[in-house]
Amino acid sequence: MPVSEKLYQFWAKKPRKTMHPAKLIALVFGAIILLGAGLLTLPAASRSGVSCNFLSALFTATSATCVTGLSLFDTYTQWSGFGQVVILVLIQLGGLGFMSIASLLLFMLGRRVGLKERMVIAQSLSVSDLDAVVRLQKTVLVGSFAIEAVGAVVLMFRFMPAFGFPQALKWGVFHSVSAFCNAGFDIFGVLEPGSSLAVFQSDPVVLMTISALIVIGGLGFLVWQEMIQGRRWKAYGVYTKLVIIATVALLVTGMAAFLALEWNNPQTLGAMSVGDKLLNGFFQSVTTRTAGFASFDQAALSDGGKAVTIVLMLVGGCSGSTAGGVKTVTVMVLLLFLWSRLRGRSTVTVFKRTIPAGQVLDAMTLTGIMVLLAVFGAVFISATSPIGFTDGLYESVSALATVGLTAGATGKLSLASQMLIILYMYFGRVGVLTLSMGFLVGDRAAERIRYAQTNLLIG
């Protein structure tokens, strides 16, 4: 038998190692970012026709794929129509997840979704039910494209009278996708470079449409499924109830906090009419939940306003959605844990259900990781760039939580700080839970060993 045939038989019989879904997602996201960066370095991607440097392209591609919105320069001013299309595709891939697009191709070709594909889809959607994951994926695809289409049509008709059909259609599609995917990229630089939505701060149709897209995109696909089924409140699962309560509470308290802190600030809400103050206070509460659009200069916020924004950015949206951050239910679990401990209880309960101790520890671990990384990032940025600690923390949290808001620090970042922000955006989108999966699962063999307990002084 020829040697080549023996080698082939050996290779065919050798058991294959299946890559863990979390690793596959991380690697594919990285590959998409590099491909996007390569396309953005092409001269055709720049409005000037001159290729930008690779680091700037990598920063933009990471921000788009990780649906963050941080940018070293104005999107319209820097990128040509081709570059803007590349960014839009990266946003869509990053927002829905590459596996959503891959599964769309499988559905169109009539191919069966196998076990491996189901595992990757489940990982990307943050669900555990492999039997129902295909049905959920179809709901995600149909629902996402339908919502983006409705948003695009509403925005198109709003822009059409003043800017004409071609421009209105382009703006409607781009900003609907960017808002639904919680990306925060805009191409309104033709009106005023770097202004984001400030030129529409008195336009309730634009701001409320963008707000609705942000909230719907940030709710999470599991919540969609239960709400689409038309169940009553009592029939909702515990997770869905917590998501709805947390979302409403954050929107209301965030709006109230911004109105109280910025009402008389002439550089933010102070110069606006009462109606515009209410509108922009609400929009600020919405956009801080990982969207990244701004209806006024974020650098002009008071220290209290920046602090509230940082907290809301860190919380973020909901699991299995287009949003980032620690996630709303994670924070709810921590609050419920604190409330239980204050009452002297050792178990955490909600809606007559007990939350497993392991999930409470996971919530504490994830939150701890995010807070530590945010503080480290703020120190690093302030030490390597001409930026104060508060603005450095603002930038660090914005990248980690894939928000995209900036207090004017992005353009001042040093080379080292830019690299850190790129890593933070990637880490935030792929997910703290995904990247730390091995740590959270732990070494089951080591857990078989039990040592004698010791009591410590706490508090």
Side-chain angles (χ1 to χ4, degrees):
M1 181 181 295
V3 176
S4 58
E5 188 174 343
K6 290 182 179 179
L7 289 174
Y8 175 79
Q9 289 182 355
F10 172 78
W11 177 84
K13 294 178 180 179
K14 187 177 180 180
R16 307 285 197 281
K17 288 186 177 180
T18 303
M19 183 177 292
H20 192 280
K23 292 182 180 179
L24 179 61
I25 290 173
L27 289 174
V28 174
F29 259 94
I32 292 172
I33 290 170
L34 291 176
L35 176 60
L39 292 173
L40 291 177
T41 56
L42 297 175
S46 296
R47 186 167 296 278
S48 64
V50 178
S51 176
C52 71
N53 63 77
F54 179 75
L55 182 60
S56 296
L58 179 64
F59 191 101
T60 303
T62 305
S63 184
T65 307
C66 299
V67 290
T68 305
L70 289 173
S71 183
L72 297 173
F73 22 61
D74 178 70
T75 303
Y76 175 83
T77 305
Q78 171 63 31
W79 305 111
S80 64
F82 170 72
Q84 292 170 23
V85 170
V86 171
I87 290 172
L88 186 64
V89 172
L90 293 177
I91 289 172
Q92 189 74 86
L93 285 173
L96 295 183
F98 75 92
M99 200 58 210
S100 294
I101 308 302
S103 61
L104 174 62
L105 295 176
L106 291 177
F107 296 149
M108 292 175 64
L109 295 172
R111 296 279 300 276
R112 179 178 176 274
V113 181
L115 179 60
K116 292 180 181 179
E117 289 82 3
R118 290 171 185 259
M119 291 174 66
V120 179
I121 293 173
Q123 184 74 33
S124 63
L125 295 179
S126 299
V127 297
S128 57
D129 188 355
L130 295 182
D131 293 330
V133 74
V134 175
R135 183 172 66 253
L136 176 60
Q137 182 67 87
K138 291 180 179 179
T139 301
V140 169
L141 289 169
V142 174
S144 297
F145 292 137
I147 293 167
E148 289 175 348
V150 171
V153 169
V154 173
L155 292 174
M156 180 191 70
F157 278 111
R158 181 65 187 89
F159 295 139
M160 196 185 305
F163 304 103
F165 176 74
Q167 186 78 293
L169 178 62
K170 179 181 177 181
W171 283 0
V173 172
F174 189 97
H175 296 101
S176 179
V177 174
S178 184
F180 177 77
C181 292
N182 282 211
F185 277 88
D186 72 273
I187 50 175
F188 291 127
V190 64
L191 302 177
E192 186 178 339
S195 65
S196 190
L197 295 182
V199 291
F200 299 104
Q201 62 182 204
S202 298
D203 193 323
V205 175
V206 173
L207 293 190
M208 292 306 293
T209 301
I210 296 293
S211 295
L213 290 167
I214 292 169
V215 172
I216 294 172
L219 279 177
F221 306 126
L222 276 176
V223 178
W224 286 12
Q225 193 174 41
E226 289 210 11
M227 297 183 75
I228 290 173
Q229 290 173 353
R231 297 180 179 179
R232 296 177 300 170
W233 174 259
K234 291 184 178 180
Y236 284 159
V238 174
Y239 174 78
T240 299
K241 290 180 179 178
L242 288 176
V243 164
I244 295 173
I245 291 173
T247 300
V248 173
L250 287 169
L251 290 176
V252 173
T253 56
M255 177 182 177
F258 286 122
L259 291 176
L261 294 168
E262 303 296 326
W263 188 270
N264 295 317
N265 185 344
Q267 295 180 293
T268 55
L269 302 181
M272 300 180 187
S273 65
V274 173
D276 286 348
K277 286 181 179 180
L278 295 175
L279 175 63
N280 285 269
F282 174 75
F283 185 78
Q284 179 72 6
S285 180
V286 172
T287 194
T288 52
R289 305 280 309 291
T290 83
F293 292 103
S295 62
F296 53 78
D297 184 11
Q298 299 296 296
L301 284 166
S302 64
D303 288 341
K306 288 181 180 179
V308 172
T309 301
I310 288 171
V311 171
L312 291 176
M313 289 194 299
L314 193 59
V315 173
C318 306
S319 300
S321 72
T322 60
V326 173
K327 302 297 188 299
T328 52
V329 172
T330 302
V331 174
M332 289 290 286
V333 169
L334 290 178
L335 293 176
L336 289 168
F337 169 74
L338 292 175
W339 178 242
S340 296
R341 295 303 295 167
L342 288 173
R343 292 186 296 166
R345 297 183 178 180
S346 58
T347 58
V348 181
T349 59
V350 60
F351 297 119
K352 298 181 179 179
R353 295 290 188 274
T354 299
I355 300 175
Q359 289 197 337
V360 176
L361 290 175
D362 288 350
M364 295 172 66
T365 302
L366 294 174
T367 304
I369 290 173
M370 289 288 278
V371 171
L372 288 174
L373 286 175
V375 174
F376 171 80
V379 173
F380 185 88
I381 290 171
S382 61
T384 59
S385 305
I387 300 167
F389 178 80
T390 301
D391 289 347
L393 182 62
Y394 198 105
E395 199 81 5
S396 175
V397 173
S398 182
L400 268 177
T402 67
V403 180
L405 290 174
T406 178
T410 307
K412 303 175 184 177
L413 295 174
S414 65
L415 180 63
S417 295
Q418 289 179 29
M419 293 300 298
L420 180 71
I421 292 299
I422 289 173
L423 291 175
Y424 273 17
M425 289 189 292
Y426 176 77
F427 186 72
R429 180 53 186 150
V430 174
V432 179
L433 181 60
T434 301
L435 292 182
S436 59
M437 187 65 69
F439 172 73
L440 292 176
V441 172
D443 188 347
R444 298 304 182 190
E447 288 185 359
R448 298 193 186 104
I449 301 173
R450 294 289 184 269
Y451 296 98
Q453 292 185 350
T454 184
N455 293 319
L456 302 175
L457 294 178
I458 303 297

